[in-house]
Amino acid sequence: MRRALLAGGLVVVLGAGVGVWASGDEDVRTPAGSAAARQTSDGGSAPEKGDQAGTGTAAGPTPTRSYALSQAPQTIPAVRAHTPARGPGWRPAAQHRVVVSDADLADEGRLIAGELGMAYAGERDDVRAGDLRLALNDDEGANPESYTMTVRGGRVTVSGPSDAGVFYGTRTLKQEVHGGGTAPEGVVRDEPAKAQRGLMLDIARKHFTADWIEDRIRELGDLKFNQLGLHFSDDQAFRIESDTHPEIVSPQHLTKAQVKGIVDLAASRHITVVPEIDSPGHLGAVLAAHPDLQLRNAQGVPTRGAIDISKDASAALLDDLLDEYAGLFPGGQWHLGGDEYQALTVSDPEASYPQLAAAARERYGSGATVADLATGWLNDRADTVRPHDRTMRAWNDGFFRGTSVKAADDLVVAYWTGKEIGARPPVEYLSAGRKVVNYNDEYLYYVLGEPQTFVYPTGERIYEQWTPRILRGTTPVPARYDDQILGATFAVWCDLANSQTQDQVAAGIRMPLRATVQKLWDPGQPSLTWAQFRALADRLG
């Protein structure tokens, strides 16, 4: 117990009544029992008799050192709670150590040690001035992404119920000391409001280099995002090397070795890469190599991007790809797509595509429709991915009203629009018990070239107007559905791919990403004005 107390940073009493307060770079000696040496339970100084309001001017001839009550750290996203205290705070120094209480935290320890120019000392039980200690706690009921950071007596302890929570604590600390800053004395208790916080990149329409994607991963990690979506197959290109179907891969693509590097880097930042092979629409690049599987209407005219879901060979091709890439992307999330199947955008799908209508009736009965067949396609692809132990999502316009075939119960709705034919409002999914991820195209869609009615989203608008409950347009769903909204993803779509360079994309999404994660970490009214928030972002880099 004494070891634990010392590790927590309480003052050690030495010799004849002299206390040592380790301030990191120097020891400030004060009489034992003085205001500076005695700590309250939250780390604050307890005023002595004769000490005016705890100012540290205790009666007697011996001088003391006093500290102002600390202020909450300024970070993005903002911490949820901070208990202030009086003390010197903490700054990293080359002679300071990063130590861990558990070998599972070695990666987090090495990372923050390198970032702060400190020595990584591994598992240690001893206590030294200036230590940063990372620890796992046994709070089984806590949010696994929560953490507590205690700055006291010239040392820091970051603890959490999982390595992810501890990692987020190190991100807070990194921001606090950025540019020579000081981590304020006291205790931070922090956790996200939403479990899923993502950025999605359309790497199919526009090739992004592996180095650029890795830079985004580092940025996302420091901001406490935990998902990176990769939409790598579309009409324009198929952008990742394939062993099962090399004929579909575009000349400019990522190798599997590059993708593994991306996935590994993301994992080191507690980011899950969420792959998406969109189907049965948006398959133009795949179909260019398999024209026999292209959907054609009654007049024999090919339908852009659409695969003929009445053919067994179509399902076999997609299942080959889903099984192959499940091995490349080991994370627990998968995006099945399902949107904008052009067969369902005509006035009479059954008349326009008689082969689809016949297949629907053969499989599901005399009253079945093309929408039933498309729903069955989505369910079949889910059956392929499910044995890989993934949680699956699909775009909201891949879920259809009034069908006899229902989408699988475990499919999460990726809600992006309310503009599709037969649009269903978000409450319709929520009231049926569906879980939803927010991709609201009104706020969270960065579409290159601003085609149609899209305009580049601004961080200011997200920061001041949007919350995770605003799934469609600008109106929030009732609060009773909040728990069903798992989180949100800011999406970069590259419809007009040459409108911006990848560096311009990085600059354009910089503030929207920061505003988005602020509202996912804490959807309440931010304490900073937009101007203050933007200035903080500029200071933190």
Side-chain angles (χ1 to χ4, degrees), residues 14-235:
L14 302 178
V18 177
V20 177
W21 191 317
S23 61
D25 296 325
E26 62 178 350
D27 288 340
V28 179
R29 295 180 178 268
T30 61
S34 72
R38 292 192 298 110
Q39 296 289 292
T40 63
S41 60
D42 69 356
S45 299
E48 290 251 283
K49 181 179 179 181
D51 182 350
Q52 300 301 310
T55 61
T57 55
T62 306
T64 64
R65 180 165 178 175
S66 64
Y67 299 93
L69 198 63
S70 62
Q71 301 294 311
Q74 296 289 293
T75 60
I76 296 176
V79 301
R80 303 292 293 274
H82 175 254
T83 303
R86 300 182 190 278
W90 181 89
R91 290 183 183 179
Q95 68 269 26
H96 292 168
R97 307 181 307 173
V98 175
V99 296
V100 299
S101 65
D102 192 295
D104 288 343
L105 296 174
D107 290 343
E108 289 73 22
R110 290 190 180 96
L111 177 62
I112 190 65
E115 291 170 329
L116 300 187
M118 299 171 64
Y120 177 68
E123 292 183 79
R124 292 287 189 275
D125 290 330
D126 63 315
V127 177
R128 295 184 187 176
D131 276 355
L132 165 58
R133 178 172 293 277
L134 309 183
L136 294 174
N137 59 42
D138 56 0
D139 190 352
E140 296 181 358
N143 182 330
E145 293 187 306
S146 66
Y147 68 91
T148 299
M149 180 168 65
T150 302
V151 179
R152 181 180 295 141
R155 290 185 290 274
V156 183
T157 299
V158 178
S159 65
S162 75
D163 52 353
V166 173
F167 172 74
Y168 296 135
T170 67
R171 300 307 88 189
T172 295
L173 184 65
K174 181 182 176 183
Q175 290 191 26
E176 287 178 339
V177 301
H178 177 79
T182 299
E185 201 86 2
V187 181
V188 167
R189 292 179 176 86
D190 202 14
E191 64 180 10
K194 292 300 178 183
Q196 297 190 23
R197 307 174 299 280
L199 166 67
M200 192 225 75
L201 296 173
D202 171 11
I203 66 170
R205 293 180 178 90
K206 183 179 182 66
H207 175 68
F208 291 92
T209 66
D211 287 346
W212 187 90
I213 295 171
E214 290 179 353
D215 284 344
R216 300 289 72 71
I217 289 170
R218 295 182 185 94
E219 179 182 15
L220 294 175
D222 283 352
L223 292 170
K224 305 187 179 84
F225 280 90
N226 63 3
Q227 290 185 1
L228 172 66
L230 294 181
H231 175 95
F232 64 91
S233 170
D234 214 301
D235 295 340

